[in-house]
Amino acid sequence: MKSFLCGLTLLLAGQAWAQGPVITQANLESVTVYSTGVEMNHKAKIAVPAGSSEILINNVANVLDENSIRIGAGANVTIMSVSFTRDYLKQENRTPAYLRVEDSLKSARRGLSRLEAAYNAEQNALKILEKNQAIGGANTGVNVAELAKMVDYNKAKQVELSNNMIAIAEKQAEQQKIVARLEQQLAEESRDRSGAGGQLLVQVMAGSAASSEFNISYISPNAGWTAFYDLRAENTNSNLKILYKANLVQNTGLDWKKVKLTLSTGNPAQSGNAPQLQAWMLRYGSPAYYANQSAYQNRIQAKSSVTRAIEGAAPGIQVETSAAEDRSLSNYTALVENQLSTTFDVELPYDIASNDKPHSVSLKEYSLPVRYKYYAVPKADPDAFLMAEVSQYEKLNLLPGEANIILENMYVGKSYLNPYATTDTLNLSMGRDKKITIKREKVMEQSGVKLLGSTKKQTFTYEIRLRNGKREAVSLLLKDQYPVATDNNMEVELLEASGAEINKETGVLTWKLDLAPGATQTVRISYSVKYPKDKVISNL
């Protein structure tokens, strides 16, 4: 009797497995998007049979980290195992737009093939005609009249065939352009991977049949976001408005429909192991030099905290909210500072297509009191740049990213915001101002070369003329430089600097100028370099 019951149990279990898995769909509820990677959270209502069974959950990401899968179910259900799989027998999802472009491309390629066939037919006819031109020399019985007719026929036919080939070649070129454009559009449409998700095969054990809610979460690498900004200023007397946005891209195979978004500055793939130091072994090698020292030399020198205290501390950061902004998307975003990261919880549900294209998400909007100044390095660029100095910027939780600049309600270009500067003031470039003209010219009569025994002395003199074409006074930070000797046989002497602040280590000269409306000002820099006359300084 006991063996009969065991056999019956095995038979029933085999019948349960033979029935196949329970198939269901997972509903995407929320996502947490990291700079690289996304945590996706689903829910599924599943009728679980009693005993052991398999559940096949569709509508999950096309690629995921299996070690990150977490599934919770009711108290009556025990999760035995979970595995990720793909249904390779299912046809690849193609959107209606993809199918329309694909049909157009097939038709265009057929048209191109027909043109190529027509061109080849005309070309072959021309070759046959050219071979038959020898008939007059091979058949001596052809009289002059027949030969003349044959020449006229060949000539007319050659012209006709050549013209046909030219016309067909022109049509081929146009058709090839159409095919190329359709191929490019098809490649664009193929980026839409919606409907190409994966599956989770879950083995469960249930004490009794019941309907249970499954909570599913995992990490997928096929999503991420970067920060970008709009920098707006009405004029140089107004506050600077920073619209903090996210460029979000996802290619998980699922279109996110009305999901709750959370954006995090953390990295789910970052190792949690604390670093350890190894022995630091010194070795001889070639000296290393900075590839672009001018980037360091021309860097804006931010005011120190001591200087700012003397001049008076800048007012603190304020977040302004006007009546018009109360409909602003940024008011539906909550910023949460965690121990190791910052998250933006977006209350409004979003639709994000799985097409590997950037989607803009508004996060926060700040209105900041700033100091405006102009900055120019005419040796490197002839234009003046408007700069905005922001204090206490670390409170804004900004990330590096591109910024659109809108000045006086006009788009003036792009900049780059880097909040990881080591200074206590963030300098934001607000673009070029053509109303401030700067011209740097070499003064030839005060420049030249002299030979002094075994040495050569070169003198350089430059004049920088500035004009303020604006209706208001401006403060301008002007920079130039003179060379720095790197050898005992070199001797550099600064002859004139027009009152500039001098950094002898870097050779950078700095002028702080105040220009009245319509005013002009001139500064001059002059220096000499003495070195052995049998040497050549390549970068002088």
Side-chain angles (χ1 to χ4, degrees), residues 110-138:
R110 284 194 296 268
L112 183 59
S113 297
R114 285 193 291 266
L115 288 171
E116 289 174 350
Y119 184 89
N120 291 335
E122 297 291 329
Q123 190 177 46
N124 290 334
L126 186 60
K127 288 180 179 178
I128 293 174
L129 190 65
E130 290 173 351
K131 288 181 180 178
N132 289 338
Q133 286 178 352
I135 192 170

Side-chain angles (χ1 to χ4, degrees), residues 119-398:
Y119 184 89
N120 291 335
E122 297 291 329
Q123 190 177 46
N124 290 334
L126 186 60
K127 288 180 179 178
I128 293 174
L129 190 65
E130 290 173 351
K131 288 181 180 178
N132 289 338
Q133 286 178 352
I135 192 170
N139 300 308
T140 57
V142 178
N143 59 36
V144 175
E146 291 175 344
L147 185 59
K149 288 181 182 180
M150 187 174 298
V151 170
D152 291 339
Y153 172 80
N154 286 346
K155 181 179 179 181
K157 200 63 179 176
Q158 280 184 330
V159 171
E160 178 187 348
L161 293 174
S162 297
N163 288 337
N164 290 345
M165 292 174 64
I166 292 172
I168 294 172
E170 291 175 351
K171 291 180 180 179
Q172 277 183 300
E174 291 300 320
Q175 192 71 8
Q176 284 172 343
K177 291 179 182 178
I178 294 173
V179 169
R181 287 196 295 267
L182 288 171
E183 287 175 340
Q184 188 175 9
Q185 185 62 38
L186 191 68
E188 183 71 16
E189 296 294 341
S190 67
R191 297 170 65 183
D192 189 344
R193 304 296 296 169
S194 58
Q199 301 170 315
L200 293 178
L201 186 62
V202 186
Q203 293 187 357
V204 299
M205 175 72 75
S208 59
S211 178
S212 179
E213 185 175 77
F214 281 58
N215 295 308
I216 306 158
S217 69
Y218 52 83
I219 300 293
S220 172
N222 288 355
W225 73 282
T226 56
F228 78 103
Y229 307 87
D230 283 348
L231 306 180
R232 294 178 176 269
E234 297 296 328
N235 51 59
T236 55
N237 296 317
S238 64
N239 280 6
L240 175 68
K241 291 185 178 180
I242 300 181
L243 182 58
Y244 195 165
K245 300 180 182 180
N247 260 343
L248 193 157
V249 175
Q250 71 103 349
N251 190 21
T252 61
L254 306 178
D255 285 342
W256 300 351
K257 299 288 189 181
K258 299 294 184 291
V259 299
K260 183 181 182 299
L261 282 178
T262 298
L263 304 182
S264 174
T265 61
N267 181 4
Q270 191 171 16
S271 172
N273 296 326
Q276 294 183 351
L277 290 176
Q278 302 295 328
W280 185 0
M281 312 300 291
L282 293 181
R283 295 180 179 88
Y284 284 109
S286 302
Y289 298 97
Y290 290 107
N292 186 7
Q293 293 191 5
S294 61
Y296 167 77
Q297 295 168 347
N298 295 330
R299 187 179 63 190
I300 298 172
Q301 305 298 320
K303 295 183 176 72
S304 66
S305 57
V306 176
T307 306
R308 290 199 306 107
I310 295 174
E311 296 180 351
I317 291 176
Q318 302 172 357
V319 179
E320 295 183 353
T321 306
S322 64
E325 292 170 351
D326 289 337
R327 293 181 301 275
S328 174
L329 290 177
S330 64
N331 292 312
Y332 294 94
T333 303
L335 188 151
V336 180
E337 292 190 59
N338 302 313
Q339 188 69 26
L340 299 176
S341 64
T342 300
T343 60
F344 299 89
D345 293 326
V346 184
E347 297 179 10
L348 294 178
Y350 266 82
D351 290 349
I352 308 292
S354 176
N355 55 11
D356 209 22
K357 295 180 181 178
H359 300 262
S360 176
V361 178
S362 295
L363 300 180
K364 280 294 182 182
E365 185 171 344
Y366 302 105
S367 182
L368 312 177
V370 296
R371 293 188 183 95
Y372 290 101
K373 67 181 180 184
Y374 286 90
Y375 173 73
V377 186
K379 180 184 178 183
D381 195 294
D383 290 333
F385 293 80
L386 178 63
M387 308 296 296
E389 288 185 341
V390 182
S391 301
Q392 303 178 28
Y393 62 92
E394 63 278 357
K395 297 182 180 179
L396 304 181
N397 295 287
L398 304 178

Side-chain angles (χ1 to χ4, degrees), residues 456-503:
K456 179 192 294 184
K457 183 177 182 181
Q458 288 186 256
T459 303
F460 302 86
T461 303
Y462 295 93
E463 192 172 74
I464 305 173
R465 292 192 294 274
L466 308 98
R467 183 181 182 276
N468 178 17
K470 303 177 70 68
R471 295 180 180 178
E472 65 272 4
V474 299
S475 296
L476 176 68
L477 193 68
L478 178 67
K479 287 184 178 288
D480 211 304
Q481 67 181 152
Y482 67 100
V484 177
T486 58
D487 189 276
N488 292 332
N489 293 325
M490 297 180 186
E491 183 181 327
V492 177
E493 182 181 2
L494 180 62
L495 305 174
E496 186 176 357
S498 296
E501 295 181 4
I502 304 170
N503 187 326

